[in-house]
């Protein structure tokens, strides 16, 4: 999984019907000290995350499991309280 | 998922039969401000996207779900109205 | 999917039995203008491609679908006639 | 798989219920000589690893197999005694 | 798939039971001329490869197929006799 910071949101009118009602979060993949490694991925929120939150993002087929079968490849599965290195 | 801009199309005569009638879109993966991160991926369109549209691209096995089982690894699943960061 | 140029072939005597009779194509991942992005991937040919052809490569589990279940992670699924950007 | 060094841990209160009780390890992907290739991935521990251990990390759907079906994409599946190159 | 050179081996005492008896090979991903693209991946050997051999590595869920269901994400599926570009 990746450590990500939520930096914004995206909205879409034309989309697959399965995406209706899902929150699309713009996230930066970060290292443990906050340096951005990969900017601006999009993940579906599964845990009530908001802008500025540090989260755990899962990718690939596990994102479907985390979202009850949506056709997505990235989901937020935890809000991180602490990262200690 | 990735934020992508549709920059063109590709055509093919010799192809797997499952691809017949599918639109092959050339897209650039971008960050939230339009900087190109990965150029020239190819995705199947599931939402009626056209050249110049900002879209959401899903990769991996989720692309098959988004396209009713095509043997593909990338599909456009939304046209983005707004990306706010 | 990725735009790739076929640059050669590979041969192997010791291999999984499922690979017998399959053509192993060496390909460069390119952008829409022919710049090499990732050199020397290996893909199984599903469409009769030859050296010099511009093709569409699918990766991951979709490559198995495109090849009737071979244990592979990359397959050529179309010969591109035109890429217009 | 990847050679990784465990450099820390992460904790989360808000998370998918499946993650309850799982140890979230922060790891650096390394080469055989200890040079960091990709910093700060997060993997679930399946083998009792601790901070400082050199481990083998599996990614993608195999991580679910290694963890009895958790919705994760990275797991530690071995503690490496020796890497000889 | 990727062209890889076997550069060493790894051993582990603490590991998932499914890995018992499997050879863990350290490999460098190379281009067709031997330039290292990605150092020090770890793959399970399915074809009797040894140090110095040029091999074909499959990644992702196909690695499980190549290894009768092991929870791994990379396997060697052929020893390459010749790469001609």
């Amino acid at each position: 999984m990746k450590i990500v910071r939520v930096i914004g949101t995206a909205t879409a009118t034309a989309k697959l019907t399965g995406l209706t009602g899902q929150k699309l979060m713009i996230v930066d993949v970060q290292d443990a000290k906050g340096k951005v490694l990969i900017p601006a991925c999009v993940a579906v929120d599964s845990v009530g995350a908001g802008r500025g939150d540090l989260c755990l993002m899962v990718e690939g087929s596990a994102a479907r499991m985390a979202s009850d079968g949506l056709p997505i490849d990235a989901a937020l599965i935890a809000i991180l309280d602490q990262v200690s290195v």
Side-chain angles (χ1 to χ4, degrees), chain A:
Chain A
M1 286 77 70
K2 300 293 183 189
I3 302 170
V4 300
R5 178 79 64 186
V6 179
I7 62 164
T9 56
T11 56
T13 306
K15 60 190 165 193
L16 289 190
T17 51
L19 294 177
T20 302
Q22 298 296 324
K23 282 197 293 176
L24 300 173
M25 315 302 277
I26 313 294
V27 302
D28 283 343
V29 176
Q30 298 191 343
D31 70 8
K33 289 171 182 158
K35 184 184 168 192
V36 175
L37 301 173
I38 306 170
C41 299
V42 183
V44 165
D45 178 32
S46 305
V47 285
R51 196 180 293 229
D53 281 345
L54 197 67
C55 294
L56 193 62
M57 178 175 73
V58 71
E59 296 177 279
S61 53
R64 290 207 299 278
M65 289 182 59
S67 63
D68 292 320
L70 292 179
I72 62 173
D73 64 11
L76 304 181
I77 61 169
I79 302 174
L80 295 175
D81 301 325
Q82 191 170 28
V83 174
S84 60
V85 294

